[in-house]
Amino acid sequence: MEKTEELYKLILNHASQRINLTEEEQRYFCSLLTVRHLLPRQYLVQQGDICNHESYVCKGFLRSFYMDEKGNDHTLHFSFEDWWITDSTSFLMRVPATRNIVALEASTLLQIDKASLDQLYLDIPVFERYWRIMDEKSGIAQNQRILNSISMSGAERYEALIQKYPNLEQRMPQKYIASYLGITPVFLSQIRKSLSRTDIK
């Protein structure tokens, strides 16, 4: 199991690429974090519960999804190492989560709760810039995904996704990739077979 100090180095490296912190500020930030370990298929957040943390992925892979009234599973996001994951609306507004977040692999997270994050903003204001950068990056990615869904075919969306995340297929089952792309698993299988034949030619 990873030592806590090693986990802190990961998140501090992530932060230092975006903001400058003194050693004292780094120590204070780390003092507000808690370590969470998840087993495969263990939930971080369940629909209807309050999401109490922003979670930084040190190790592992997580998926967020919405389960509709008919029991259909809609993949919303996924999170690799060095990414944050949460239900932002639930976390910020203290309302029931509209999504589930589950570990697809054994995962290790560093978490910060709402009260600690608010205190961090007061004590080290530069962290407001850090989270603004994170939110901007997330917003840009979400806008691009919406644009892709409007302007691209299912095959084009799949190719763009795999080009951006080459290892995704090794970590997330095809049915969840299909769900993320808004297509059926059968159609995704057809796309992959078609692309495979094109590669052979």
Side-chain angles (χ1 to χ4, degrees):
M1 189 171 291
E2 305 87 354
K3 291 182 179 179
T4 304
E5 291 77 12
E6 294 173 354
L7 303 180
Y8 289 159
K9 286 180 182 178
L10 294 174
I11 199 168
L12 289 173
N13 180 63
H14 185 278
S16 68
Q17 294 175 36
R18 294 156 178 86
I19 57 174
N20 295 317
L21 298 171
T22 66
E23 288 189 12
E24 183 178 352
E25 289 170 337
Q26 290 178 13
R27 285 194 294 271
Y28 177 66
F29 174 45
C30 290
S31 75
L32 300 177
L33 302 172
T34 56
V35 180
R36 176 83 183 273
H37 298 284
L38 296 175
L39 298 172
R41 296 182 296 279
Q42 185 175 352
Y43 281 79
L44 176 65
V45 177
Q46 287 190 282
Q47 219 165 300
D49 292 345
I50 302 295
C51 178
N52 291 313
H53 300 89
E54 289 266 9
S55 298
Y56 172 80
V57 184
C58 298
K59 176 185 176 183
F61 185 85
L62 295 94
R63 178 179 76 102
S64 77
F65 66 97
Y66 168 72
M67 187 71 73
D68 66 26
E69 294 178 354
K70 296 180 180 179
N72 297 314
D73 176 325
H74 306 272
T75 300
L76 302 173
H77 300 285
F78 50 85
S79 187
F80 294 101
E81 289 86 358
D82 205 34
W83 288 17
W84 288 88
I85 191 166
T86 190
D87 181 322
S88 295
T89 302
S90 176
F91 177 76
L92 294 172
M93 304 300 293
R94 315 311 297 152
V95 296
T98 57
R99 68 190 63 192
N100 303 280
I101 303 177
V102 65
L104 297 186
E105 304 171 358
S107 300
T108 302
L109 315 172
L110 283 172
Q111 299 185 303
I112 188 167
D113 61 34
K114 182 68 165 57
S116 296
L117 183 59
D118 289 341
Q119 191 62 48
L120 181 64
Y121 289 158
L122 292 174
D123 296 336
I124 311 179
V126 72
F127 267 101
E128 290 206 66
R129 179 172 182 269
Y130 171 73
W131 252 277
R132 176 175 58 78
I133 291 170
M134 294 295 97
D135 289 342
E136 288 174 352
K137 183 178 178 181
S138 175
I140 290 169
Q142 187 66 12
N143 287 340
Q144 187 61 54
R145 184 180 174 192
I146 293 170
L147 182 61
N148 288 355
S149 70
I150 295 170
S151 61
M152 290 182 172
S153 67
E156 289 171 334
R157 294 200 303 276
Y158 169 73
E159 286 188 272
L161 181 67
I162 298 307
Q163 184 175 1
K164 189 172 183 179
Y165 307 112
N167 298 322
L168 183 61
E169 290 186 295
Q170 281 72 56
R171 305 187 75 173
M172 189 157 76
Q174 292 294 318
K175 63 180 179 179
Y176 298 147
I177 293 177
S179 172
Y180 181 80
L181 293 170
I183 60 179
T184 67
V186 172
F187 185 39
L188 177 57
S189 180
Q190 292 171 347
I191 291 171
R192 296 180 73 243
K193 286 179 182 176
S194 176
L195 291 174
S196 178
R197 287 195 295 269
T198 301
D199 290 341
I200 292 173
K201 291 178 183 179

